[in-house]
Amino acid sequence: MGLISPKSARKPGVIIAEINLLKETHDGGFLLVEGDDDSKFWKLHVNKKNCNIRIAGSKSTLLGAAQQLESHQDDKVVGVIDADFDHVRGIDHALGRVISTDFHDLEMILIKSSAFERVLARIIDEQLLKAFETQYGKCILDQVLAFGLVFGRLRYLHIIDEMTFPFEFSTYKYIDAKPPL
């Protein structure tokens, strides 16, 4: 059993109180994000002097805080949430201050961007890449997405049907441990 992070146990009211206290010393805006990884990503993309990033700890906490802030008409706070399976399930959170990612999460945004190709160009030998693509009959991005789709489907079933899958997660248990790369 894993430890519960103090950030994940937070409530919307705690986030709002924190922001209200910080407004005493911070004149800029606030960006609410779900978790630590989101915070690390956004710190690279915002002006730290004008934007204070706050970690909500979960999507539901972020949405709860944003909903309460809507009633206060506080325009200095916006939030970013991962779409997760919301697009597939037809869920629209419809809060003017919350923006949902176009893809499932930040990792998918990076994979679907030119960042993936730039990383490949730096770390993978071109001959090995060609061998990989010949062996699998598709480009490496399509193969990565095909591998990920299996786990994505399992996660989706877990969410919609509350199914659990009793497997120890090890990438190499389910994916060839010695691909040609």
Side-chain angles (χ1 to χ4, degrees), residues 72-140:
H72 294 106
Q73 298 179 340
D74 186 337
D75 62 354
K76 287 193 166 198
V77 183
V78 296
V80 177
I81 58 172
D82 291 336
D84 299 322
F85 293 104
D86 293 347
H87 297 316
V88 176
R89 298 175 72 197
I91 296 171
D92 180 5
H93 296 287
L95 291 171
R97 69 181 62 257
V98 177
I99 301 160
S100 179
T101 57
D102 290 337
F103 297 106
H104 187 274
D105 52 29
L106 286 174
E107 291 81 4
M108 279 307 303
I109 290 171
L110 294 172
I111 286 173
K112 296 291 279 183
S113 76
S114 62
F116 184 76
E117 289 180 17
R118 291 194 310 253
V119 169
L120 285 180
R122 285 179 164 238
I123 66 170
I124 294 183
D125 178 89
E126 234 178 279
Q127 297 295 14
L128 290 175
L129 180 60
K130 286 180 184 176
F132 179 94
E133 291 176 347
T134 299
Q135 178 179 342
Y136 287 98
K138 56 180 87 168
C139 74
I140 192 167

Side-chain angles (χ1 to χ4, degrees), residues 55-72:
I55 299 170
S58 71
K59 184 183 211 173
S60 60
T61 299
L62 189 153
L63 290 168
Q67 189 171 25
Q68 289 180 34
L69 288 165
E70 285 279 329
S71 64
H72 294 106

Side-chain angles (χ1 to χ4, degrees), residues 85 89 104 150-167:
F85 293 104
R89 298 175 72 197
H104 187 274
V150 173
F151 295 101
R153 287 178 175 150
L154 291 174
R155 283 192 46 124
Y156 184 64
L157 286 172
H158 172 75
I159 290 169
I160 63 167
D161 291 335
E162 296 181 5
M163 294 178 148
T164 56
F165 300 96
F167 58 85

Side-chain angles (χ1 to χ4, degrees), residues 138 140-153 175:
K138 56 180 87 168
I140 192 167
L141 175 58
D142 289 343
Q143 190 60 38
V144 167
L145 294 174
F147 286 148
L149 188 58
V150 173
F151 295 101
R153 287 178 175 150
I175 299 172

Side-chain angles (χ1 to χ4, degrees), residues 35-51:
D36 293 328
D37 291 339
D38 301 309
S39 175
K40 289 174 189 173
F41 174 82
W42 287 108
K43 280 180 184 175
L44 300 173
H45 300 282
V46 299
N47 179 323
K48 293 177 192 111
K49 183 180 177 187
N50 295 322
C51 182

